[in-house]
Amino acid sequence: QVQLVESGGGFVQTGGSLRLSCQTSASIFSVNAMGWYRQAPGKSREFVAAISWNGNDANYEDAVRGRFTISRDNAKNTVYLQMNSLKAEDTAVYYCASDPQLGNFLYPENMAYWGQGTQVTVSS
């Protein structure tokens, strides 16, 4: 049973933009912080960004701060990751995740729910 569904990945040139979406059920979305991890070839899964259940607070990995923006739409039970000024090192599979506590996004093993991932490839 898939409870978080990502979309919006694809191929883009360096400096371009993509917007990822992650949709879930109202029962999950309304009480959980939502966020994103990514995993590049040969590397461990790493935190990217997360937003609190009410949208009042957000955290970002240093490598994406100022370039990526996370937001959520309560009417659509969807969280977005707007990615601008993309770099080759942003290439990875991006995974949506959910947990009741925003602070738990420090560690992927804390996540209550995971999506199946969407590929983002940035080329020169």
Side-chain angles (χ1 to χ4, degrees):
Q1 186 176 36
V2 178
Q3 295 175 288
L4 281 69
V5 180
E6 304 102 328
S7 62
F11 294 88
V12 65
Q13 296 216 339
T14 299
S17 298
L18 286 173
R19 189 178 74 161
L20 305 183
S21 300
C22 174
Q23 187 173 36
T24 187
S25 65
S27 61
I28 292 174
F29 192 83
S30 64
V31 299
N32 282 283
M34 303 288 296
W36 298 88
Y37 287 81
R38 66 186 181 186
Q39 189 165 16
K43 294 188 176 182
S44 300
R45 192 166 298 187
E46 66 176 359
F47 172 72
V48 178
I51 189 167
S52 62
W53 71 274
N54 59 7
N56 290 341
D57 196 17
N59 293 330
Y60 295 92
E61 169 64 31
D62 288 344
V64 308
R65 198 184 313 276
R67 299 188 297 119
F68 292 10
T69 302
I70 189 168
S71 62
R72 59 193 297 158
D73 186 336
N74 291 344
K76 297 180 179 180
N77 300 317
T78 300
V79 62
Y80 303 98
L81 185 68
Q82 178 66 48
M83 304 185 294
N84 299 326
S85 301
L86 283 163
K87 305 174 181 179
E89 52 263 43
D90 295 318
T91 295
V93 177
Y94 283 71
Y95 296 91
C96 185
S98 180
D99 192 85
Q101 293 292 325
L102 179 62
N104 283 351
F105 281 81
L106 289 170
Y107 302 102
E109 58 265 31
N110 291 334
M111 298 296 99
Y113 303 98
W114 286 100
Q116 293 184 327
T118 185
Q119 176 71 48
V120 172
T121 302
V122 184
S123 61
S124 60

PDB file of all heavy atoms in Angstrom, residues 7 39 51 63 66 77 86 94 100 112:
ATOM      1  N   SER A   7       6.104  12.806  -7.486  1.00  0.00           N
ATOM      2  CA  SER A   7       6.099  13.062  -8.913  1.00  0.00           C
ATOM      3  C   SER A   7       6.917  14.320  -9.188  1.00  0.00           C
ATOM      4  O   SER A   7       7.250  15.063  -8.271  1.00  0.00           O
ATOM      5  CB  SER A   7       4.680  13.218  -9.452  1.00  0.00           C
ATOM      6  OG  SER A   7       4.026  14.331  -8.858  1.00  0.00           O
ATOM      7  N   GLN A  39      19.137  10.288  -2.375  1.00  0.00           N
ATOM      8  CA  GLN A  39      20.194   9.300  -2.361  1.00  0.00           C
ATOM      9  C   GLN A  39      20.857   9.252  -3.729  1.00  0.00           C
ATOM     10  O   GLN A  39      20.224   8.879  -4.717  1.00  0.00           O
ATOM     11  CB  GLN A  39      19.662   7.917  -1.984  1.00  0.00           C
ATOM     12  CG  GLN A  39      20.749   6.889  -1.747  1.00  0.00           C
ATOM     13  CD  GLN A  39      20.232   5.659  -1.030  1.00  0.00           C
ATOM     14  OE1 GLN A  39      19.029   5.429  -0.965  1.00  0.00           O
ATOM     15  NE2 GLN A  39      21.136   4.878  -0.476  1.00  0.00           N
ATOM     16  N   ILE A  51       9.174  20.327   6.491  1.00  0.00           N
ATOM     17  CA  ILE A  51       8.278  21.390   6.926  1.00  0.00           C
ATOM     18  C   ILE A  51       7.342  20.849   7.993  1.00  0.00           C
ATOM     19  O   ILE A  51       6.900  19.702   7.925  1.00  0.00           O
ATOM     20  CB  ILE A  51       7.501  21.975   5.717  1.00  0.00           C
ATOM     21  CG1 ILE A  51       6.719  23.224   6.105  1.00  0.00           C
ATOM     22  CG2 ILE A  51       6.593  20.917   5.095  1.00  0.00           C
ATOM     23  CD1 ILE A  51       6.201  24.006   4.887  1.00  0.00           C
ATOM     24  N   ALA A  63      23.504  22.370   1.818  1.00  0.00           N
ATOM     25  CA  ALA A  63      23.826  22.325   0.402  1.00  0.00           C
ATOM     26  C   ALA A  63      22.706  22.855  -0.489  1.00  0.00           C
ATOM     27  O   ALA A  63      22.959  23.226  -1.639  1.00  0.00           O
ATOM     28  CB  ALA A  63      24.178  20.899  -0.006  1.00  0.00           C
ATOM     29  N   GLY A  66      18.685  28.264   0.229  1.00  0.00           N
ATOM     30  CA  GLY A  66      18.705  29.386  -0.690  1.00  0.00           C
ATOM     31  C   GLY A  66      18.375  29.025  -2.116  1.00  0.00           C
ATOM     32  O   GLY A  66      18.088  29.916  -2.931  1.00  0.00           O
ATOM     33  N   ASN A  77      -3.459  18.004   0.280  1.00  0.00           N
ATOM     34  CA  ASN A  77      -2.657  17.023   1.020  1.00  0.00           C
ATOM     35  C   ASN A  77      -1.332  16.750   0.309  1.00  0.00           C
ATOM     36  O   ASN A  77      -0.904  15.600   0.177  1.00  0.00           O
ATOM     37  CB  ASN A  77      -3.436  15.721   1.207  1.00  0.00           C
ATOM     38  CG  ASN A  77      -4.726  15.924   1.971  1.00  0.00           C
ATOM     39  OD1 ASN A  77      -4.762  16.648   2.962  1.00  0.00           O
ATOM     40  ND2 ASN A  77      -5.792  15.278   1.520  1.00  0.00           N
ATOM     41  N   LEU A  86      19.774  24.362 -10.145  1.00  0.00           N
ATOM     42  CA  LEU A  86      20.203  22.984  -9.934  1.00  0.00           C
ATOM     43  C   LEU A  86      21.643  22.760 -10.388  1.00  0.00           C
ATOM     44  O   LEU A  86      22.101  23.339 -11.374  1.00  0.00           O
ATOM     45  CB  LEU A  86      19.268  22.027 -10.652  1.00  0.00           C
ATOM     46  CG  LEU A  86      17.929  21.810  -9.940  1.00  0.00           C
ATOM     47  CD1 LEU A  86      16.905  21.211 -10.886  1.00  0.00           C
ATOM     48  CD2 LEU A  86      18.120  20.907  -8.723  1.00  0.00           C
ATOM     49  N   TYR A  94      15.023  11.201  -5.211  1.00  0.00           N
ATOM     50  CA  TYR A  94      14.437  11.994  -4.138  1.00  0.00           C
ATOM     51  C   TYR A  94      13.244  11.259  -3.547  1.00  0.00           C
ATOM     52  O   TYR A  94      12.338  10.843  -4.267  1.00  0.00           O
ATOM     53  CB  TYR A  94      14.006  13.364  -4.654  1.00  0.00           C
ATOM     54  CG  TYR A  94      15.172  14.303  -4.837  1.00  0.00           C
ATOM     55  CD1 TYR A  94      16.090  14.097  -5.865  1.00  0.00           C
ATOM     56  CD2 TYR A  94      15.371  15.383  -3.979  1.00  0.00           C
ATOM     57  CE1 TYR A  94      17.179  14.933  -6.026  1.00  0.00           C
ATOM     58  CE2 TYR A  94      16.451  16.228  -4.141  1.00  0.00           C
ATOM     59  CZ  TYR A  94      17.349  16.003  -5.157  1.00  0.00           C
ATOM     60  OH  TYR A  94      18.429  16.842  -5.322  1.00  0.00           O
ATOM     61  N   PRO A 100       5.593  12.550  12.666  1.00  0.00           N
ATOM     62  CA  PRO A 100       4.926  13.553  13.502  1.00  0.00           C
ATOM     63  C   PRO A 100       5.825  14.697  13.974  1.00  0.00           C
ATOM     64  O   PRO A 100       5.332  15.793  14.218  1.00  0.00           O
ATOM     65  CB  PRO A 100       4.437  12.737  14.702  1.00  0.00           C
ATOM     66  CG  PRO A 100       4.266  11.357  14.165  1.00  0.00           C
ATOM     67  CD  PRO A 100       5.386  11.191  13.184  1.00  0.00           C
ATOM     68  N   ALA A 112       8.189   7.739   9.789  1.00  0.00           N
ATOM     69  CA  ALA A 112       7.064   6.824   9.888  1.00  0.00           C
ATOM     70  C   ALA A 112       6.598   6.318   8.526  1.00  0.00           C
ATOM     71  O   ALA A 112       6.127   5.184   8.417  1.00  0.00           O
ATOM     72  CB  ALA A 112       5.898   7.502  10.606  1.00  0.00           C
TER      73      ALA A 112
END
